[in-house]
Amino acid sequence: MIEFVNCSKVYEDNGAVGFKDVSLRIGEGEFVFVVGPSGSGKSSVIRVILKEEELTGGRLIIDEEDATALGRAEIPYLRRKMGVVFQDFRLRQNKTVFENVAFAMQIVGASYREIRRNVPMALTMVGLSRKSKAYPNQLSGGEQQRTALARAIVNRPPILICDEPTGNLDPETAWEIMSLLDDINRRGTTVVVATHAWDIVDGMKKRVIALKNGAVVRDAARGGYSEQLW
Amino acid sequence: MGFNRAKYFIEEAATGVARNSLMSVSSALTVSCCMLILIFSYSLAANVDYFLEQIENKSGITAFVDDALSDAGAERLRLQIAAEPNVATVTLITKERALEIMADKETGAAKDLIESLRDDNPLPRSFEITLLNGADHDTTLAALNALIGKGIYRVNADSATVGALVLFNNVVRVVSVFVVLLLGFLSVVIIMNTIKLTVNARKTDINIMKYVGATDWFIKWPFIIEGVIIGLFGALIPVVIFAFGYGPLVDGVKSALGSFATLLKFKDGMDIFVFAAPVILSAGVIVGVAGSSFSIRRYLRV
Ligand SMILES: Nc1ncnc2c1ncn2[C@@H]1O[C@H](COP(=O)(O)OP(=O)(O)O)[C@@H](O)[C@H]1O
Ligand SMILES: [Mg+2]
């Protein structure tokens, strides 16, 4: 589903290395944690997948298509194959929960009927159906992240990308969000989660790709966060 | 663009206008001022053009015919002058008619004196010549002057007045073009600033939209519509003011000019309106699109 071939990212402005010579393959339907200490390159990997940043070397393949060098006009269509969830939720503050989720459908030109049907379904799935008229500032952090999650999955994209999705949440809420991600994965969506929440990673027993100083130092099929390899 | 999208874009645009209502209203009003100056300077130019047309028609050239020339010779000469490229009409004024015209202008003793000349009429025959184009006045005049001694003994023309009017008309035209360009540019800048404010307030929003996979155009449309709303409202106000204000303005100018105004006809408001209203309204739309496009461009690079 996602393949990095000898990829590297060096930031032009300060010469910082995001990651270097990373090769990895994430198959369809997998659930993958990308872990590592702060500054190890997790977000750089995520931003390259989202085409927010360009690779400085190597090849990137997403959904069997070469995504290394896409034109500006093609990027939105690539992004529609991926739902995204961030640490800071990124909700539109002057839109209700319903409108925030519906927005993802509006941009792909969904009909009013489809929106009426699929948005409540997505909200039910994340357990937020009773808050659809609320605005983001009336919600708890967990509820905001559920809204973001509903927005990410409402178009049923094949891939779900999360960068520190539980970074702003208390442990209990963090677990609820993780179990939602697990549910989504069980329905067939490929899920990639960058995180440094070691307890969650240890508890989930998923594939773990560990980064350190921008290099892959471990890739374990049913790993934990802190195995003694690094 | 499906109905749902159009609805979404318009709602977003309306929200943008409403959220920045003070700024939106003030920039619409500033655009109105620009467009108001535009539409009235166009009216001025149109009227000057129209006056010129009237004056050109009235200020023909008079060529006086030698008494020695026979009537048949005079008719040949008339046809020759009529064949000149810029000549519209050539009318022969007979001695009798010339006397009548002169007598009509006078009263009392002077009138009687002129009437008494009827039997021994000293007035010459003349040709009254009207032109197709006042600006080419000088060429025609030269052609007529060449006939002096060949049946014509004098040519009278008010060439200084006509020349001055043509010059004035050209100045008005150049100034109007300049005014149009300057005010058009100003309107674009004003709308740019307003939309920039809205775009700035929604920077995070735009960022989110891009992550969710919105195309640049999807993001741009609401801002463009917002610009169009401001531009169109800005243009609508002066068009309405013109529709109701032109008549009274002309009346005011007429009464200020006094008896001189009776010599000139002003352009009908409707004539100007049918041309200027669509132009001003489309200018509002164009200015709105240009202003918002310029201001949003750099925010789309995510
Ligand atoms: N936008 C950026 N511009 C310049 N350097 C960056 C940028 N983002 C990250 N970096 C650098 O790249 C390295 C990896 O950072 P990042 O990918 O954010 O790691 P993590 O998400 O694991 O904390 C760090 O040294 C960081 O300073
Ligand atoms: Mg990070």
Tab-separated table of all heavy atoms in Angstrom, chain B residues 153-193:
chain	number	residue	atom	x	y	z
B	153	TYR	N	-15.393	83.943	-54.092
B	153	TYR	CA	-14.495	85.054	-53.773
B	153	TYR	C	-14.112	85.119	-52.312
B	153	TYR	O	-13.163	85.801	-51.938
B	153	TYR	CB	-15.053	86.393	-54.278
B	153	TYR	CG	-16.196	86.942	-53.476
B	153	TYR	CD1	-15.957	87.789	-52.399
B	153	TYR	CD2	-17.513	86.624	-53.806
B	153	TYR	CE1	-16.996	88.304	-51.653
B	153	TYR	CE2	-18.560	87.121	-53.062
B	153	TYR	CZ	-18.305	87.960	-51.978
B	153	TYR	OH	-19.321	88.458	-51.244
B	154	ARG	N	-14.842	84.350	-51.448
B	154	ARG	CA	-14.445	84.340	-50.038
B	154	ARG	C	-14.979	83.089	-49.367
B	154	ARG	O	-16.051	82.588	-49.707
B	154	ARG	CB	-15.001	85.573	-49.330
B	154	ARG	CG	-13.999	86.175	-48.350
B	154	ARG	CD	-14.591	87.370	-47.644
B	154	ARG	NE	-15.313	86.931	-46.464
B	154	ARG	CZ	-16.044	87.742	-45.697
B	154	ARG	NH1	-16.206	89.006	-46.038
B	154	ARG	NH2	-16.637	87.284	-44.632
B	155	VAL	N	-14.203	82.614	-48.402
B	155	VAL	CA	-14.665	81.454	-47.620
B	155	VAL	C	-14.643	81.844	-46.151
B	155	VAL	O	-13.638	82.348	-45.652
B	155	VAL	CB	-13.763	80.234	-47.871
B	155	VAL	CG1	-14.205	79.062	-47.013
B	155	VAL	CG2	-13.753	79.860	-49.345
B	156	ASN	N	-15.783	81.628	-45.485
B	156	ASN	CA	-15.887	81.940	-44.050
B	156	ASN	C	-16.006	80.650	-43.254
B	156	ASN	O	-16.851	79.815	-43.544
B	156	ASN	CB	-17.156	82.748	-43.794
B	156	ASN	CG	-16.869	84.230	-43.748
B	156	ASN	OD1	-15.727	84.644	-44.009
B	156	ASN	ND2	-17.874	84.994	-43.453
B	157	ALA	N	-15.162	80.531	-42.259
B	157	ALA	CA	-15.299	79.327	-41.434
B	157	ALA	C	-14.901	79.657	-40.012
B	157	ALA	O	-14.024	80.471	-39.764
B	157	ALA	CB	-14.410	78.221	-41.968
B	158	ASP	N	-15.559	78.990	-39.090
B	158	ASP	CA	-15.296	79.220	-37.680
B	158	ASP	C	-14.275	78.200	-37.201
B	158	ASP	O	-14.488	77.474	-36.246
B	158	ASP	CB	-16.613	79.070	-36.914
B	158	ASP	CG	-16.647	80.010	-35.736
B	158	ASP	OD1	-15.617	80.659	-35.495
B	158	ASP	OD2	-17.692	80.076	-35.076
B	159	SER	N	-13.135	78.155	-37.908
B	159	SER	CA	-12.240	77.015	-37.688
B	159	SER	C	-11.587	77.029	-36.312
B	159	SER	O	-11.345	75.986	-35.730
B	159	SER	CB	-11.173	76.957	-38.777
B	159	SER	OG	-10.253	77.981	-38.587
B	160	ALA	N	-11.357	78.215	-35.740
B	160	ALA	CA	-10.725	78.263	-34.419
B	160	ALA	C	-11.601	77.592	-33.371
B	160	ALA	O	-11.133	76.783	-32.569
B	160	ALA	CB	-10.447	79.707	-34.038
B	161	THR	N	-12.900	77.907	-33.394
B	161	THR	CA	-13.819	77.323	-32.422
B	161	THR	C	-13.868	75.805	-32.556
B	161	THR	O	-13.779	75.070	-31.567
B	161	THR	CB	-15.239	77.875	-32.636
B	161	THR	OG1	-15.132	79.259	-32.925
B	161	THR	CG2	-16.102	77.633	-31.427
B	162	VAL	N	-14.023	75.362	-33.804
B	162	VAL	CA	-14.128	73.921	-34.023
B	162	VAL	C	-12.849	73.234	-33.576
B	162	VAL	O	-12.875	72.228	-32.870
B	162	VAL	CB	-14.434	73.600	-35.502
B	162	VAL	CG1	-14.378	72.098	-35.740
B	162	VAL	CG2	-15.801	74.127	-35.886
B	163	GLY	N	-11.707	73.825	-33.937
B	163	GLY	CA	-10.420	73.243	-33.548
B	163	GLY	C	-10.305	73.128	-32.043
B	163	GLY	O	-9.915	72.097	-31.512
B	164	ALA	N	-10.706	74.199	-31.330
B	164	ALA	CA	-10.615	74.178	-29.875
B	164	ALA	C	-11.503	73.085	-29.291
B	164	ALA	O	-11.126	72.385	-28.346
B	164	ALA	CB	-11.019	75.539	-29.319
B	165	LEU	N	-12.689	72.937	-29.877
B	165	LEU	CA	-13.613	71.924	-29.373
B	165	LEU	C	-13.080	70.515	-29.570
B	165	LEU	O	-13.180	69.660	-28.684
B	165	LEU	CB	-14.964	72.063	-30.055
B	165	LEU	CG	-15.961	72.843	-29.217
B	165	LEU	CD1	-17.147	73.243	-30.059
B	165	LEU	CD2	-16.388	72.026	-28.012
B	166	VAL	N	-12.500	70.298	-30.782
B	166	VAL	CA	-11.937	68.979	-31.064
B	166	VAL	C	-10.827	68.677	-30.061
B	166	VAL	O	-10.753	67.583	-29.491
B	166	VAL	CB	-11.408	68.902	-32.509
B	166	VAL	CG1	-10.581	67.633	-32.715
B	166	VAL	CG2	-12.560	68.929	-33.505
B	167	LEU	N	-10.011	69.688	-29.797
B	167	LEU	CA	-8.915	69.511	-28.847
B	167	LEU	C	-9.463	69.190	-27.455
B	167	LEU	O	-9.028	68.248	-26.799
B	167	LEU	CB	-8.061	70.791	-28.799
B	167	LEU	CG	-6.842	70.707	-27.893
B	167	LEU	CD1	-5.829	69.737	-28.476
B	167	LEU	CD2	-6.211	72.081	-27.705
B	168	PHE	N	-10.453	69.966	-27.031
B	168	PHE	CA	-11.063	69.758	-25.725
B	168	PHE	C	-11.623	68.332	-25.623
B	168	PHE	O	-11.427	67.631	-24.635
B	168	PHE	CB	-12.181	70.787	-25.513
B	168	PHE	CG	-12.878	70.649	-24.189
B	168	PHE	CD1	-12.160	70.748	-23.002
B	168	PHE	CD2	-14.242	70.417	-24.126
B	168	PHE	CE1	-12.790	70.637	-21.777
B	168	PHE	CE2	-14.882	70.296	-22.904
B	168	PHE	CZ	-14.160	70.404	-21.727
B	169	ASN	N	-12.291	67.927	-26.687
B	169	ASN	CA	-12.867	66.584	-26.717
B	169	ASN	C	-11.779	65.519	-26.544
B	169	ASN	O	-11.931	64.567	-25.777
B	169	ASN	CB	-13.583	66.391	-28.047
B	169	ASN	CG	-14.441	65.144	-28.048
B	169	ASN	OD1	-14.963	64.778	-27.018
B	169	ASN	ND2	-14.559	64.516	-29.199
B	170	ASN	N	-10.665	65.698	-27.240
B	170	ASN	CA	-9.577	64.728	-27.126
B	170	ASN	C	-9.004	64.712	-25.722
B	170	ASN	O	-8.698	63.649	-25.186
B	170	ASN	CB	-8.479	65.037	-28.141
B	170	ASN	CG	-8.923	64.692	-29.550
B	170	ASN	OD1	-9.879	63.924	-29.725
B	170	ASN	ND2	-8.277	65.269	-30.540
B	171	VAL	N	-8.868	65.889	-25.119
B	171	VAL	CA	-8.354	65.961	-23.751
B	171	VAL	C	-9.290	65.202	-22.814
B	171	VAL	O	-8.852	64.383	-21.999
B	171	VAL	CB	-8.185	67.431	-23.307
B	171	VAL	CG1	-7.911	67.505	-21.810
B	171	VAL	CG2	-7.048	68.079	-24.077
B	172	VAL	N	-10.589	65.466	-22.951
B	172	VAL	CA	-11.562	64.784	-22.096
B	172	VAL	C	-11.446	63.275	-22.261
B	172	VAL	O	-11.467	62.517	-21.292
B	172	VAL	CB	-13.001	65.255	-22.410
B	172	VAL	CG1	-14.025	64.348	-21.747
B	172	VAL	CG2	-13.193	66.680	-21.939
B	173	ARG	N	-11.270	62.829	-23.501
B	173	ARG	CA	-11.150	61.390	-23.750
B	173	ARG	C	-9.924	60.803	-23.056
B	173	ARG	O	-10.012	59.794	-22.380
B	173	ARG	CB	-11.033	61.120	-25.243
B	173	ARG	CG	-12.381	60.803	-25.820
B	173	ARG	CD	-12.279	60.366	-27.257
B	173	ARG	NE	-13.538	60.719	-27.907
B	173	ARG	CZ	-13.660	60.953	-29.186
B	173	ARG	NH1	-12.609	60.893	-29.969
B	173	ARG	NH2	-14.832	61.256	-29.677
B	174	VAL	N	-8.790	61.439	-23.234
B	174	VAL	CA	-7.549	60.930	-22.631
B	174	VAL	C	-7.679	60.906	-21.113
B	174	VAL	O	-7.338	59.921	-20.458
B	174	VAL	CB	-6.341	61.796	-23.061
B	174	VAL	CG1	-5.107	61.428	-22.259
B	174	VAL	CG2	-6.074	61.616	-24.549
B	175	VAL	N	-8.208	62.004	-20.563
B	175	VAL	CA	-8.369	62.073	-19.108
B	175	VAL	C	-9.305	60.967	-18.630
B	175	VAL	O	-9.043	60.312	-17.620
B	175	VAL	CB	-8.873	63.474	-18.674
B	175	VAL	CG1	-9.272	63.477	-17.218
B	175	VAL	CG2	-7.784	64.503	-18.920
B	176	SER	N	-10.399	60.707	-19.363
B	176	SER	CA	-11.330	59.657	-18.930
B	176	SER	C	-10.651	58.298	-18.919
B	176	SER	O	-10.852	57.511	-17.993
B	176	SER	CB	-12.567	59.550	-19.813
B	176	SER	OG	-12.925	60.768	-20.311
B	177	VAL	N	-9.866	58.013	-19.942
B	177	VAL	CA	-9.175	56.726	-19.983
B	177	VAL	C	-8.256	56.599	-18.775
B	177	VAL	O	-8.228	55.585	-18.082
B	177	VAL	CB	-8.367	56.569	-21.292
B	177	VAL	CG1	-7.417	55.377	-21.202
B	177	VAL	CG2	-9.295	56.395	-22.479
B	178	PHE	N	-7.554	57.670	-18.469
B	178	PHE	CA	-6.650	57.697	-17.332
B	178	PHE	C	-7.420	57.467	-16.031
B	178	PHE	O	-7.032	56.645	-15.202
B	178	PHE	CB	-5.933	59.051	-17.310
B	178	PHE	CG	-4.856	59.143	-16.294
B	178	PHE	CD1	-3.674	58.426	-16.466
B	178	PHE	CD2	-5.016	59.918	-15.165
B	178	PHE	CE1	-2.676	58.503	-15.522
B	178	PHE	CE2	-4.017	60.001	-14.216
B	178	PHE	CZ	-2.847	59.288	-14.391
B	179	VAL	N	-8.532	58.172	-15.885
B	179	VAL	CA	-9.370	58.027	-14.691
B	179	VAL	C	-9.865	56.588	-14.563
B	179	VAL	O	-9.829	55.993	-13.485
B	179	VAL	CB	-10.562	59.023	-14.752
B	179	VAL	CG1	-11.628	58.672	-13.739
B	179	VAL	CG2	-10.068	60.437	-14.512
B	180	VAL	N	-10.301	56.021	-15.684
B	180	VAL	CA	-10.809	54.647	-15.666
B	180	VAL	C	-9.726	53.687	-15.179
B	180	VAL	O	-9.954	52.866	-14.291
B	180	VAL	CB	-11.295	54.225	-17.080
B	180	VAL	CG1	-11.489	52.724	-17.157
B	180	VAL	CG2	-12.591	54.939	-17.432
B	181	LEU	N	-8.529	53.820	-15.736
B	181	LEU	CA	-7.443	52.905	-15.368
B	181	LEU	C	-7.073	53.070	-13.889
B	181	LEU	O	-6.945	52.090	-13.150
B	181	LEU	CB	-6.207	53.161	-16.233
B	181	LEU	CG	-6.352	52.758	-17.692
B	181	LEU	CD1	-5.074	53.063	-18.457
B	181	LEU	CD2	-6.698	51.280	-17.813
B	182	LEU	N	-6.941	54.309	-13.467
B	182	LEU	CA	-6.529	54.579	-12.092
B	182	LEU	C	-7.556	54.050	-11.100
B	182	LEU	O	-7.217	53.340	-10.138
B	182	LEU	CB	-6.353	56.091	-11.912
B	182	LEU	CG	-5.688	56.494	-10.612
B	182	LEU	CD1	-4.206	56.160	-10.681
B	182	LEU	CD2	-5.881	57.973	-10.358
B	183	LEU	N	-8.818	54.356	-11.350
B	183	LEU	CA	-9.857	53.943	-10.409
B	183	LEU	C	-10.061	52.430	-10.448
B	183	LEU	O	-10.336	51.813	-9.426
B	183	LEU	CB	-11.165	54.679	-10.700
B	183	LEU	CG	-11.078	56.186	-10.490
B	183	LEU	CD1	-12.416	56.838	-10.775
B	183	LEU	CD2	-10.642	56.502	-9.071
B	184	GLY	N	-9.908	51.830	-11.625
B	184	GLY	CA	-10.009	50.371	-11.724
B	184	GLY	C	-8.932	49.719	-10.880
B	184	GLY	O	-9.202	48.821	-10.074
B	185	PHE	N	-7.724	50.205	-10.995
B	185	PHE	CA	-6.603	49.682	-10.225
B	185	PHE	C	-6.856	49.848	-8.729
B	185	PHE	O	-6.672	48.926	-7.938
B	185	PHE	CB	-5.326	50.434	-10.641
B	185	PHE	CG	-4.119	50.087	-9.838
B	185	PHE	CD1	-3.479	48.872	-10.018
B	185	PHE	CD2	-3.632	50.966	-8.886
B	185	PHE	CE1	-2.369	48.546	-9.268
B	185	PHE	CE2	-2.517	50.649	-8.132
B	185	PHE	CZ	-1.886	49.432	-8.317
B	186	LEU	N	-7.334	51.036	-8.370
B	186	LEU	CA	-7.625	51.331	-6.966
B	186	LEU	C	-8.658	50.342	-6.414
B	186	LEU	O	-8.501	49.806	-5.310
B	186	LEU	CB	-8.177	52.754	-6.879
B	186	LEU	CG	-7.888	53.497	-5.592
B	186	LEU	CD1	-6.391	53.698	-5.452
B	186	LEU	CD2	-8.599	54.834	-5.600
B	187	SER	N	-9.697	50.072	-7.197
B	187	SER	CA	-10.743	49.162	-6.735
B	187	SER	C	-10.174	47.772	-6.491
B	187	SER	O	-10.522	47.113	-5.507
B	187	SER	CB	-11.863	49.074	-7.772
B	187	SER	OG	-12.323	50.355	-8.088
B	188	VAL	N	-9.299	47.313	-7.392
B	188	VAL	CA	-8.699	45.988	-7.225
B	188	VAL	C	-7.913	45.942	-5.914
B	188	VAL	O	-8.038	44.996	-5.122
B	188	VAL	CB	-7.778	45.639	-8.416
B	188	VAL	CG1	-6.976	44.388	-8.116
B	188	VAL	CG2	-8.596	45.437	-9.678
B	189	VAL	N	-7.131	46.988	-5.657
B	189	VAL	CA	-6.320	47.015	-4.434
B	189	VAL	C	-7.209	46.993	-3.189
B	189	VAL	O	-6.935	46.263	-2.230
B	189	VAL	CB	-5.412	48.263	-4.427
B	189	VAL	CG1	-4.717	48.416	-3.090
B	189	VAL	CG2	-4.380	48.148	-5.535
B	190	ILE	N	-8.288	47.736	-3.241
B	190	ILE	CA	-9.182	47.800	-2.075
B	190	ILE	C	-9.788	46.424	-1.799
B	190	ILE	O	-9.790	45.946	-0.660
B	190	ILE	CB	-10.311	48.828	-2.339
B	190	ILE	CG1	-9.724	50.237	-2.289
B	190	ILE	CG2	-11.427	48.671	-1.322
B	190	ILE	CD1	-10.539	51.234	-3.052
B	191	ILE	N	-10.271	45.779	-2.849
B	191	ILE	CA	-10.882	44.455	-2.651
B	191	ILE	C	-9.822	43.456	-2.206
B	191	ILE	O	-10.061	42.615	-1.331
B	191	ILE	CB	-11.604	43.999	-3.934
B	191	ILE	CG1	-12.799	44.911	-4.141
B	191	ILE	CG2	-12.031	42.548	-3.830
B	191	ILE	CD1	-13.751	44.468	-5.193
B	192	MET	N	-8.623	43.577	-2.774
B	192	MET	CA	-7.528	42.692	-2.361
B	192	MET	C	-7.315	42.739	-0.859
B	192	MET	O	-7.170	41.716	-0.208
B	192	MET	CB	-6.233	43.134	-3.041
B	192	MET	CG	-5.736	42.191	-4.088
B	192	MET	SD	-4.333	42.924	-4.936
B	192	MET	CE	-3.023	42.522	-3.815
B	193	ASN	N	-7.302	43.960	-0.331
B	193	ASN	CA	-7.042	44.109	1.094
B	193	ASN	C	-8.136	43.486	1.948
B	193	ASN	O	-7.852	42.844	2.951
B	193	ASN	CB	-6.877	45.591	1.452
B	193	ASN	CG	-5.458	46.025	1.206
B	193	ASN	OD1	-4.534	45.292	1.532
B	193	ASN	ND2	-5.274	47.176	0.615
